């Protein structure tokens, strides 16, 4: 009886590509799992998981969303890439490469649109910051994010300290009973190098002072302008990070496509 023999000559799966892609995605998957875990833990701590209706409360940006969305995407992609590489599953590998390519395309499109519609982006940034100024006391994570931004960029409000009139605790209206009335958060205060302990009351009543007097106590420049200045000063670093991320994505896509081609070539010779 004649037996048919499988011819594997000239067609084999590269172990180097296979396990390199597997290792690449293991790191990707673990990082995604960490982001997702942190996001879900933060939600649980704030009671969101016990009261799902609070998810619809979008008065201000919740930084936890960033962890959950980014972590979820990275977790799914990393899992698909790991299993696809290990099991030589072309469906999962194609899903991984197509989805990663889609993310790369969206990032590229966003970058081009941001350059073309710079003024519109600036208006949206103003709107975004002002919305979050209004919701400053509503969420501890949002509060920490705003405090970090104001301290890091030495700024106060979107355009200046008076933007804090938008917040019910800091506005200067007569009926406002808050002790923080006509003040600003402590993160707006000019830091005294001699102070080891942060004075959280340093911004009280500071907006009752004249403009020149304010400068002695708080930052008077807006965060939008300071952010733009920071981008200009660090343009090479920011561009380098974006290029590095893009190259990693392209590298991952190329590895996945290479492995798919190898698997198809082997199957074709069976």
């Amino acid at each position: 009886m004649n037996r048919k023999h499988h011819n594997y000559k000239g067609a084999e799966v590269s172990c180097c590509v296979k396990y390199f892609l597997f290792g690449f995605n293991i790191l990707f998957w673990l990082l995604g799992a960490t982001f997702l875990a942190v996001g879900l833990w933060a939600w649980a701590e704030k009671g969101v998981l016990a009261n799902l209706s609070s998810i619809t409360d979008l008065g201000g940006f919740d930084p936890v969303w960033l962890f959950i969305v980014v972590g979820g995407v990275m977790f799914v992609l990393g899992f698909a890439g790991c299993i696809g590489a290990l099991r030589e599953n072309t469906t999962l590998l194609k899903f991984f490469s197509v989805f990663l390519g889609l993310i790369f395309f969206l990032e590229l499109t966003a970058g081009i649109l941001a350059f073309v519609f710079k003024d519109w982006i600036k208006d949206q940034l103003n709107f975004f910051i002002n919305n979050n100024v209004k919701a400053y006391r509503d969420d501890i994570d949002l509060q920490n994010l705003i405090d970090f931004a104001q301290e890091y960029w030495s700024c106060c409000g979107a355009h200046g300290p008076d933007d804090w009139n938008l917040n019910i605790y800091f506005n200067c209206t007569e009926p406002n009973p808050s002790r923080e009335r006509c003040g600003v958060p402590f993160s707006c205060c000019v830091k005294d190098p001699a102070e080891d302990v942060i004075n959280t009351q340093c911004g009280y009543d500071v907006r009752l002072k004249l403009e020149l007097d304010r400068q002695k106590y708080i930052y008077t420049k807006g965060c939008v302008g300071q952010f733009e200045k920071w981008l200009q000063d660090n343009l090479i670093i920011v561009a380098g990070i974006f290029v590095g991320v893009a190259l990693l994505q392209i590298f991952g896509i190329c590895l996945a496509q290479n492995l798919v081609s190898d698997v198809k070539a082997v199957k074709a010779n069976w």
Side-chain angles (χ1 to χ4, degrees):
M1 180 185 293
N2 291 330
R3 294 174 179 255
K4 292 183 180 179
H5 297 279
H6 295 300
N7 182 16
Y8 296 96
K9 188 176 180 180
E12 60 180 12
V13 174
S14 172
C15 288
C16 182
V17 171
K18 175 179 175 177
Y19 290 109
F20 196 89
L21 183 62
F22 176 74
F24 176 83
N25 279 286
I26 277 286
L27 295 175
F28 205 61
W29 178 72
L30 289 174
L31 192 59
T34 303
F35 269 66
L36 194 57
V38 169
L40 292 174
W41 170 80
W43 257 14
E45 285 292 301
K46 290 190 289 188
V48 174
L49 296 179
N51 180 18
L52 294 179
S53 63
S54 60
I55 294 176
T56 60
D57 182 14
L58 299 176
F61 171 72
D62 190 343
V64 173
W65 275 106
L66 191 62
F67 280 89
I68 290 177
V69 173
V70 172
V73 171
M74 290 177 68
F75 182 86
V76 171
L77 277 181
F79 181 79
C82 282
I83 302 301
L86 194 63
R87 302 294 298 174
E88 297 176 10
N89 187 308
T90 56
T91 302
L92 288 176
L93 289 171
K94 286 177 182 178
F95 170 80
F96 170 78
S97 59
V98 169
F99 209 96
L100 201 58
L102 180 61
I103 292 173
F104 174 75
F105 175 75
L106 291 174
E107 289 170 349
L108 187 62
T109 304
I112 293 170
L113 291 177
F115 179 76
V116 174
F117 299 102
K118 287 183 288 187
D119 293 336
W120 183 83
I121 295 294
K122 187 175 179 179
D123 290 340
Q124 292 304 306
L125 184 60
N126 291 336
F127 179 74
F128 174 78
I129 293 176
N130 286 334
N131 261 358
N132 289 297
V133 164
K134 291 178 187 177
Y136 177 73
R137 292 291 191 207
D138 297 346
D139 187 284
I140 188 63
D141 294 318
L142 173 63
Q143 184 175 315
N144 290 335
L145 180 65
I146 292 174
D147 286 335
F148 170 78
Q150 291 190 144
E151 288 178 339
Y152 186 79
W153 284 302
S154 302
C155 59
C156 191
H159 293 289
D162 287 331
D163 287 338
W164 283 97
N165 272 328
L166 295 169
N167 188 279
I168 59 172
Y169 298 99
F170 295 98
N171 72 60
C172 271
T173 54
E174 286 295 332
N176 184 8
S178 172
R179 178 62 190 88
E180 295 175 308
R181 176 180 174 270
C182 288
V184 292
F186 73 91
S187 53
C188 285
C189 296
V190 176
K191 300 298 178 289
D192 184 351
E195 288 185 351
D196 294 328
V197 180
I198 296 175
N199 178 12
T200 56
Q201 299 179 359
C202 60
Y204 284 12
D205 303 320
V206 73
R207 287 191 292 116
L208 293 173
K209 301 179 187 294
L210 296 174
E211 181 69 28
L212 288 176
D213 292 331
R214 289 183 188 181
Q215 295 178 9
K216 300 175 185 176
Y217 303 98
I218 62 171
Y219 305 121
T220 55
K221 293 180 179 178
C223 290
V224 173
Q226 289 295 88
F227 178 66
E228 288 178 336
K229 183 178 179 296
W230 178 85
L231 275 181
Q232 291 173 357
D233 294 342
N234 297 274
L235 189 60
I236 294 175
I237 296 173
V238 173
I241 291 171
F242 277 103
V243 170
V245 170
L247 289 176
L248 276 176
Q249 290 173 324
I250 293 170
F251 182 61
I253 293 169
C254 289
L255 283 177
Q257 289 299 319
N258 196 324
L259 191 54
V260 168
S261 298
D262 286 353
V263 172
K264 283 183 175 180
V266 170
K267 286 182 178 180
N269 285 324
W270 282 359

